[in-house]
Amino acid sequence: MVRSKVYILAGLIVAGFLLVVLRLAYFQIINRDEFLAYIEKQYKAREKVILPRGTIYDRNGRILSISVPTIDIFAVTRYIKDRHTLARELSRIINVPYPVLIRKLSSGKNYVVLATGIDKSLKERLLNLRRQLEEWNLGIIESSRRYYPLNQIGGTTIGFVSKVTGKGMEGLELKYDKKLGGGTGDIYLMKDALGNPFTIEKNISSEETFDIKLTIDSNIQYIAETVLAEFVRERRPKEALILIVDPNDGRIIANATYPNYNPNRYWKYRSHRNITFHSAYEPGSLAKPFILAEAVDEGRIDLNKEYYCGEGKIIVDGIRIRDHKKFKYLTPEDIIVFSSNVGAIEIALKLDPEKMYRKLHTLGFGSSTKTFPGEASGILRDDKRPVEIAYAAIGQNWTATAIQIAMAYSAIANGGYLLKPRFVEEFINRETGEIIKPEKEVIGRVLSEKSVRILQEVLKMVVERGTARKGKSEYFTIAGKTGTAQKYDPAIKALSTEKYYTWFAGYFPAEKPKFTVVIFANEPQKIKKWERIGGGSVSAPVLKKLVNRIMFYYKEKPDKNGNGGQNGNQNPQRN
């Protein structure tokens, strides 16, 4: 009897032991993650901190975007001895209003974050305050914030980083977000049995990150933005931009846009669009040189012959299309120089429609360059009806982005090659110092040697004696083309006679091009009531200021003799 009781008791002990072992196995092996999560929830309070990310420099090594070390301040409120004194003294150091701090300290919560993104240089003063007041439950956590030293200079291009997530939200900060790193890391405040934080441990991933040196020259960027600001004050457009590209390798040197924003205060702006990449517009007469190039390649035009230009109008498929002036006979060169709509249409109607559209597509129109996040493609439909061919020839009924136009005109400047635009000079590994340099990317030859040679001469004449003569520099030879496109007005359900897109696209110096420039305005206003709005009267005058300032900054020797070049035809032109 006694022995059986012993066996029963021993069996119960063994069974109990097995149950404990099985329970431990359940928690440690089968349901380990859930159990650890439970413990973590009970004994850890997790806080997010903004991690530092790579620095962005301009091509000269000037800082455009940098992560600045900061601190976050927290408190275990139930153990704060004198809330009012702490709030008052803390307010004097970190410049946070006393009422805000006292409200947080009196919230009844066991743990509160008093302030984030505080300048790290204040850390020693805060530690001294804690010692003086003996408020040992005032805590400090190291964090960071993104800072843009040049404020709004290049704002829409550089973009910004979210102050909440630490990740790139717009512009190049978004484009190269993975390489720049950053984001948030976890800070765990270990809690005792009563739930009070008493120590800190970090759980922060260490992914490979890079600094980035851009192709942007902040000095040229400043010049472009200064010139653009003067233009905006004078013309009051809805939108405007100046884009500068190196036509020989595709580097984007400056991109000034209006509207713009300061990425240090990005949340105060309703829009963060960069119209150079995000918006496509009708290019107007900027299309005409490429129509001439196709005519040359197809052998459909005699450069020495004068063509009838309709004396101000042409009818295609029963639709009347007007010119900006009553031209009678013009050579192909002068059709471009004086920007005759009728002349360009007459040339286009001689072309193979399929080849004409292929030329425009080959030049990059209708396809995104994939240089910038959210970049538009523009619209180019291969509509082969004569009236649509006519409108395509004068840059109406299709759209292009400023970056597409810059690269197409760069092809004229560099001898016929379409390049992929780029923003990056080099990536620098922050751990190893290894430098990665993106190479020049040639998409292909898009213009023949013959057509390039002709266009280069014609575009110089556009500036010297044609529609862009108001932008002619007395020191440097410029080549380019003006453009004007009427906007559709939904109020009258027709093309407006008051609202226009105005353009200039070209390059300089004309003989050995170093810069391609695009100047654009959306609905620029008249300065004088009698003025006619157009690329020649609005966008071209900006050119002279821009070219002279840039070339003198680079200490380039003038390529003119100082008399402004040929006087030529002085009749004011519109397109």
Side-chain angles (χ1 to χ4, degrees), residues 96 148 163 210 263 299 391:
V96 174
Y148 303 89
K163 64 178 182 177
F210 294 82
Y391 279 125

Side-chain angles (χ1 to χ4, degrees), residues 310-329:
E311 298 186 58
K313 64 181 183 300
I314 187 173
I315 296 174
V316 184
D317 288 348
I319 296 176
R320 177 178 293 183
I321 303 175
R322 296 184 180 277
D323 219 327
H324 65 95
K325 189 177 180 183
K326 293 181 179 181
F327 297 108
K328 194 170 183 179
Y329 287 95

Side-chain angles (χ1 to χ4, degrees), residues 19-205:
L19 285 173
V20 171
V21 171
L22 290 172
R23 189 65 173 168
L24 288 172
Y26 172 77
F27 282 124
Q28 295 185 19
I29 300 173
I30 299 173
N31 209 31
R32 180 175 180 272
D33 292 341
E34 183 179 336
F35 184 61
L36 289 176
Y38 174 78
I39 293 175
E40 187 173 282
K41 183 178 179 181
Q42 293 297 312
Y43 293 98
K44 289 184 178 180
R46 186 174 69 177
E47 286 296 323
K48 293 284 187 184
V49 293
I50 303 297
L51 300 178
R53 57 197 261 132
T55 301
I56 298 177
Y57 302 91
D58 82 340
R59 67 192 303 170
N60 302 313
R62 188 173 187 177
I63 293 174
L64 301 178
S65 176
I66 189 171
S67 289
V68 178
T70 62
I71 51 178
D72 299 343
I73 305 170
F74 71 92
V76 183
T77 57
R78 66 181 297 180
Y79 293 116
I80 295 298
K81 300 173 184 176
D82 187 341
R83 296 190 189 97
H84 295 280
T85 299
L86 177 60
R88 184 175 62 254
E89 296 301 321
L90 200 56
S91 176
R92 292 172 180 171
I93 296 174
I94 64 176
N95 200 30
V96 174
Y98 168 83
V100 173
L101 295 173
I102 195 63
R103 185 168 61 249
K104 289 183 177 182
L105 290 168
S106 305
S107 65
K109 294 180 180 179
N110 194 34
Y111 163 81
V112 293
V113 176
L114 297 175
T116 60
I118 302 301
D119 193 326
K120 192 178 178 181
S121 63
L122 299 176
K123 182 177 180 179
E124 193 58 40
R125 290 181 62 188
L126 291 168
L127 292 175
N128 287 335
L129 177 65
R130 185 168 66 173
R131 284 192 292 269
Q132 291 168 8
L133 300 181
E134 295 186 346
E135 294 287 9
W136 307 116
N137 288 284
L138 178 70
I140 296 171
I141 300 173
E142 293 192 3
S143 185
S144 71
R145 66 179 173 87
R146 204 62 166 167
Y147 176 62
Y148 303 89
L150 302 186
N151 294 308
Q152 76 275 8
I153 302 297
T156 59
T157 299
I158 299 167
F160 60 86
V161 171
S162 169
K163 64 178 182 177
V164 176
T165 67
K167 303 299 287 182
M169 298 293 289
E170 290 288 349
L172 298 181
E173 291 276 25
L174 173 58
K175 171 81 173 177
Y176 299 109
D177 188 56
K178 289 186 178 180
K179 285 194 174 293
L180 289 166
T184 57
D186 292 329
I187 294 289
Y188 289 97
L189 304 174
M190 300 298 292
K191 298 188 291 187
D192 61 18
L194 297 176
N196 303 313
F198 63 89
T199 189
I200 295 175
E201 67 175 32
K202 298 182 180 181
N203 180 24
I204 298 174
S205 61

